[in-house]
């Protein structure tokens, strides 16, 4: 769903927080009302700009979490403890607050419902966000393309969208999800906690001869490691698309 | 903090995707899907596959193979400075049309 | 005019004692335009090259054996944060240039990793600039430019090259990394010389 592409210069637009939702102890989803928002292609991001009373401004990128929609979008932000922007979005913002966004942008790390090849999604920590937009967009478009998500989180409590994911695994045909935990597992979990490794990816990922389109997202170090593992398993580098979120999550949230 | 207690590689970069916003502001089209050629090592790849250092006075886009600076953007309140320092070309997809011959002498 | 976001303060605060357009920060933000260089101290060298090609070099132990100074200075980054009263220890550039016979008017500062920045030689002299290797009583962290960085606090911080490895003296001025990318050639924070043309 996207409005006819009117050639307009990309610029900052006001957005109003419509609702905030706690996802985990350290992550919140923020629903934004943006009059004239044209919708997006799943996987795209926006730039968010916050301006303080005294004129000080900071901007960061955030992936769109929701399925494409007009006039409205949803972000999910993981708090980085010593961060400048994420603590505001994850803790302070509330309904009625205003900020500015620029987007949607990025035509590379995107998935379109017309695509027919199977899709392997690999998320580390908050890297789930743009992949969740793909999962939601797939359902909204009634796509039956096989989707498999491998989601690495610190502990079960750090899994964002946990309930929605288990509901979708039940209801969205052709979607399945495998979790990997780096610090703590549920009771009786078959594997000890640890970094995503070759054995685990071979077990829960897809073989390279399935020729999936691969999307990897998360902290820079996680994405690097996961991409190398998949290439070593025979996945073609050209079929692997990556979105690195920077160093932050590495120390705290994910992998 | 001393040098010893930090991971050696701080991974202070993100993918070229991150530059999509500021580049689209300048070019009015998505440049991250355009392919660029590195003047340093000749690598040709989509701009989304470059490395972006954004915790800097400007945006610095580097070649993932040889670390050469491909492009920088400095954003002033009312203007931007774009330097395509280390790109020999940028290949941009356009709607198909008849190619016309060159004009002039 | 940008929309003000309620409840957002960010790292910066306005303060009357700052150059125009700057905000006070208590943190020490880390800026990097590329991978953090980690030169091996056994091979580390600081080199001054005069405009006639004469070279003066110091190894790491030699640099550390030179008389040092401790200074307390304010830092002003062109990205709009300022940090006041920072403590440094290092060798004055006057000391490094003491034996150099030069008629040059300009200098290009070179850093490990390929970064460069230019400035008038006069701005490096008379107790205005140091090659600093200790910050806040400790060895300088690589993320802040260790083992040694240039410190020229009266200009925007991009002139204070991190991971510094040498000074090249020149008759003619020539722009460094940010100066050729659109930042101001001189960069005086009190005159808000941020961008080329300011
Ligand atoms: C395309 C894209 C999409 C993203 N989508 C999401 C999302 O959906 N949800 C989400 O929670 N986050 C997302 N991020 C990460 C987000 O943009 C911020 O980096 C994150 O929220 C931290 O910002 P901050 O201001 O809180 O921390 P900062 O104040 O920026 O940083 C905190 C600490 O980490 C270091 N640091 C962080 N990033 C860098 C960097 N790039 N280079 C050097 N040092 C760095 C800082 O030096 C500091 O020590 C995305 C990033 C990108 C590039
Ligand atoms: Zn290259």
């Amino acid at each position: 769903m996207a409005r006819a592409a009117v050639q307009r210069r990309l610029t900052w637009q006001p957005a109003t927080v419509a609702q905030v939702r706690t996802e985990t102890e350290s992550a919140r989803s923020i629903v934004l009302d943006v009059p004239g928002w044209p919708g997006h292609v799943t996987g795209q991001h926006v730039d968010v700009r916050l301006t303080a009373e005294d004129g000080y401004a900071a901007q960061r990128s955030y992936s769109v979490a929701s399925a494409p929609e007009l006039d409205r979008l949803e972000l999910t932000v993981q708090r980085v403890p010593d961060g400048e922007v994420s603590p505001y979005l994850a803790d302070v913002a509330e309904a009625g607050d205003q900020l500015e966004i620029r987007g949607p942008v990025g035509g590379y790390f995107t998935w379109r419902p017309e695509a027919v090849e199977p899709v392997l999604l690999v998320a580390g920590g908050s890297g789930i966000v743009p992949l969740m937009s793909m999962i939601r967009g797939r359902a909204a478009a009634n796509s039956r393309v096989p989707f498999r998500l491998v989601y690495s989180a610190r502990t079960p409590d750090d899994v964002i969208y946990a309930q929605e994911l288990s509901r979708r695994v039940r209801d969205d045909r052709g979607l399945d999800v495998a979790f990997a935990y780096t610090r703590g597992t549920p009771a009786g979990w078959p594997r000890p906690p640890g970094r995503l490794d070759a054995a685990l990816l071979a077990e829960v990922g897809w073989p390279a001869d399935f020729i999936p389109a691969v999307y990897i997202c998360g902290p820079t170090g996680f994405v690097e490691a996961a991409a190398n593992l998949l290439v070593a398993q025979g996945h073609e580098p050209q079929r692997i698309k990556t979105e690195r979120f920077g160093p932050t999550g590495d120390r705290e949230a994910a992998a | 903090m001393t040098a010893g207690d930090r991971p050696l590689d701080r991974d202070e970069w993100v993918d070229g995707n991150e530059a999509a916003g500021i580049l689209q502001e300048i070019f009015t089209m998505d440049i991250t899907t355009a392919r660029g050629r590195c003047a340093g090592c000749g690598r040709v790849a989509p701009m989304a596959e470059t490395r972006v250092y954004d915790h800097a006075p400007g945006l610095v886009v580097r070649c993932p193979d040889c670390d050469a600076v491909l492009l920088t953007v400095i954003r002033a309140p009312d203007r931007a400075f774009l330097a395509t320092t280390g790109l020999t070309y940028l290949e941009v997809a356009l709607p198909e049309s008849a190619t016309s011959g060159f004009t002039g002498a | 005019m940008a929309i003000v976001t309620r409840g957002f303060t960010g790292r910066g605060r306005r303060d009357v004692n700052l150059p125009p357009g700057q905000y006070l920060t208590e943190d020490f933000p880390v800026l990097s335009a590329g991978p953090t260089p980690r030169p091996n101290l056994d091979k580390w060298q600081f080199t001054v090259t005069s405009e006639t090609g004469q070279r003066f070099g110091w190894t790491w132990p030699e640099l550390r054996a030179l008389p040092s100074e401790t200074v307390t200075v304010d830092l002003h980054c062109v990205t709009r944060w300022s940090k006041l009263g920072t403590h440094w220890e290092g060798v004055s550039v006057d000391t490094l240039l003491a034996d150099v016979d030069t008629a040059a008017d300009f200098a290009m500062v070179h850093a490990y990793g390929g970064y460069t920045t230019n400035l008038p030689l006069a701005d490096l002299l008379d107790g205005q600039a140091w090659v600093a290797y200790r910050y806040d009583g400790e060895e300088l962290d690589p993320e802040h430019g260790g083992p040694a960085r240039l410190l020229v606090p009266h200009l925007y911080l991009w002139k204070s090259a991190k991971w510094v490895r040498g000074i090249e003296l020149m008759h003619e001025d020539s722009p460094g990394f940010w100066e050729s990318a659109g930042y101001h050639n001189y960069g005086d924070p009190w005159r808000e010389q941020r961008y080329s043309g300011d």
Side-chain angles (χ1 to χ4, degrees):
Chain A
M1 191 192 303
R3 283 206 175 100
V6 185
Q7 266 297 337
R8 63 174 177 110
R9 193 167 199 100
L10 183 70
T11 184
W12 295 100
Q13 302 180 255
T16 307
V17 177
Q19 193 194 325
V20 293
R21 212 173 44 242
T22 298
E23 299 284 0
T24 68
E25 186 278 316
S26 59
R28 277 207 314 187
S29 289
I30 298 178
V31 183
L32 296 173
D33 278 335
V34 185
W37 174 255
H40 75 291
V41 182
T42 66
Q44 285 189 300
H45 69 271
V46 296
D47 295 333
V48 171
R49 181 164 73 181
L50 306 180
T51 303
E53 202 88 44
D54 60 8
Y56 180 85
Q59 87 184 49
R60 297 289 184 274
S61 301
Y62 292 96
S63 306
V64 181
S66 41
E69 229 183 310
L70 298 179
D71 302 317
R72 175 168 271 229
L73 69 150
E74 203 171 309
L75 311 178
T76 303
V77 178
Q78 169 94 44
R79 181 196 318 121
V80 173
D82 58 346
E84 175 160 43
V85 169
S86 63
Y88 172 82
L89 295 172
D91 300 325
V92 181
E94 53 186 56
D97 287 345
Q98 282 204 303
L99 44 84
E100 289 172 295
I101 66 168
R102 179 174 70 185
V105 292
Y108 178 81
F109 191 80
T110 52
W111 179 81
R112 290 167 198 274
E114 305 86 76
V116 293
E117 62 281 64
V119 174
L120 175 61
L121 307 172
V122 182
S126 55
I128 183 65
V129 179
L131 308 184
M132 193 63 180
S133 178
M134 295 176 187
I135 290 170
R136 288 166 167 167
R138 170 184 178 276
N142 288 311
S143 163
R144 290 288 163 81
V145 164
F147 258 44
R148 169 163 292 179
L149 167 67
V150 179
Y151 183 177
S152 170
R154 269 208 318 181
T155 71
D157 289 341
D158 294 299
V159 171
I160 304 174
Y161 318 123
Q163 284 187 3
E164 182 179 339
L165 281 172
S166 55
R167 175 178 63 75
R168 287 191 179 278
V169 167
R170 196 187 62 217
D171 300 344
D172 293 9
R173 281 190 48 193
L175 168 71
D176 70 84
V177 179
F179 293 100
Y181 301 105
T182 60
R183 304 277 175 82
T185 67
W189 193 251
R191 275 180 301 272
R195 282 181 174 265
L196 197 62
D197 60 13
L200 181 59
L201 259 184
E203 188 187 327
V204 301
W206 267 335
D209 56 17
F210 221 66
I211 323 182
V214 182
Y215 296 85
I216 311 175
C217 186
T220 297
F222 171 87
V223 171
E224 197 80 345
N228 288 339
L229 289 173
L230 287 168
V231 171
Q233 284 175 10
H235 292 267
E236 285 208 41
Q238 303 90 279
R239 305 193 63 82
I240 301 177
K241 292 191 171 172
T242 57
E243 178 91 284
R244 293 169 173 87
F245 277 5
T248 49
D250 227 8
R251 269 175 277 158
E252 283 304 316
Chain B
M1 195 175 301
T2 57
D5 54 24
R6 270 213 176 273
L8 260 173
D9 189 353
R10 288 195 70 222
D11 300 327
E12 289 147 313
W13 53 281
V14 294
D15 286 295
N17 290 339
E18 207 268 351
I22 190 153
L23 290 177
Q24 192 168 333
E25 225 185 345
I26 296 169
F27 287 97
T28 66
M29 65 182 291
D30 182 31
I31 290 295
T32 58
T33 52
R35 294 159 64 82
R37 183 179 182 280
C38 170
C41 71
R43 177 183 206 264
V44 178
M47 293 304 286
E49 295 180 4
T50 59
R51 298 185 171 187
V52 168
Y53 292 81
D54 62 349
H55 281 48
L59 202 77
V60 181
V61 178
R62 288 179 181 265
C63 173
D65 282 356
C66 76
D67 273 340
V69 176
L70 301 177
L71 173 155
T72 58
V73 187
I74 294 171
R75 184 69 164 91
D78 58 348
R79 60 203 196 276
F81 298 85
L82 170 79
T84 52
T85 323
L87 283 174
T88 61
Y89 67 70
L90 207 50
E91 175 190 350
V92 180
L94 294 175
E96 194 159 325
S97 73
T99 32
S100 50
F102 291 99
T103 53
Chain C
M1 188 53 211
I3 283 178
V4 170
T5 297
R6 180 208 62 86
F8 175 70
T9 52
R11 293 218 171 92
R13 302 271 175 286
R14 279 302 296 152
D15 186 288
V16 284
N17 298 315
L18 297 179
Q22 293 295 108
Y23 297 85
L24 194 62
T25 180
E26 301 299 328
D27 298 349
F28 194 167
V30 174
L31 275 71
S32 58
T36 300
R38 288 165 198 279
N40 184 335
L41 285 186
D42 297 336
K43 301 207 182 95
W44 188 92
Q45 269 245 325
F46 187 84
T47 311
V48 172
T49 312
S50 78
E51 72 279 17
T52 58
Q54 229 189 331
R55 289 165 67 91
F56 302 79
W58 291 266
T59 63
W60 181 248
E62 285 166 353
L63 181 88
R64 297 300 297 257
L66 293 174
S68 70
E69 296 177 5
T70 55
V71 290
T72 300
V73 297
D74 300 339
L75 307 179
H76 306 295
C77 180
V78 72
T79 61
R80 298 186 182 272
W81 58 264
S82 290
K83 186 170 173 62
L84 304 183
T86 60
H87 303 290
W88 299 85
E89 181 183 343
V91 177
S92 166
V93 175
D94 294 311
T95 305
L96 296 166
L97 293 183
D99 297 331
V100 183
D101 191 16
T102 179
D105 288 323
F106 300 96
M108 182 70 82
V109 179
H110 294 266
Y112 287 95
Y115 182 76
T116 54
T117 185
N118 61 303
L119 62 183
L121 180 56
D123 286 84
L124 288 174
L125 301 176
D126 300 327
Q128 295 185 91
W130 297 266
V131 170
Y133 43 70
R134 285 174 75 80
Y135 168 70
D136 229 359
E138 288 187 38
E139 294 298 291
L140 186 57
D141 196 19
E143 68 186 27
H144 289 302
R149 75 179 295 167
L150 188 70
L151 184 65
V152 202
H154 69 288
L155 300 177
Y156 280 125
L157 198 57
W158 88 75
K159 298 281 183 181
S160 295
K162 301 206 255 186
W163 313 295
V164 70
R165 67 175 176 82
I167 297 173
E168 176 194 351
L169 303 175
M170 314 180 292
H171 276 307
E172 305 282 335
D173 197 9
S174 151
F177 181 81
W178 285 121
E179 293 84 359
S180 53
Y183 275 116
H184 196 274
N185 194 53
Y186 184 63
D188 179 354
W190 295 97
R191 286 185 279 167
E192 205 168 0
Q193 294 171 331
R194 292 180 199 275
Y195 311 106
S196 179
D198 281 356

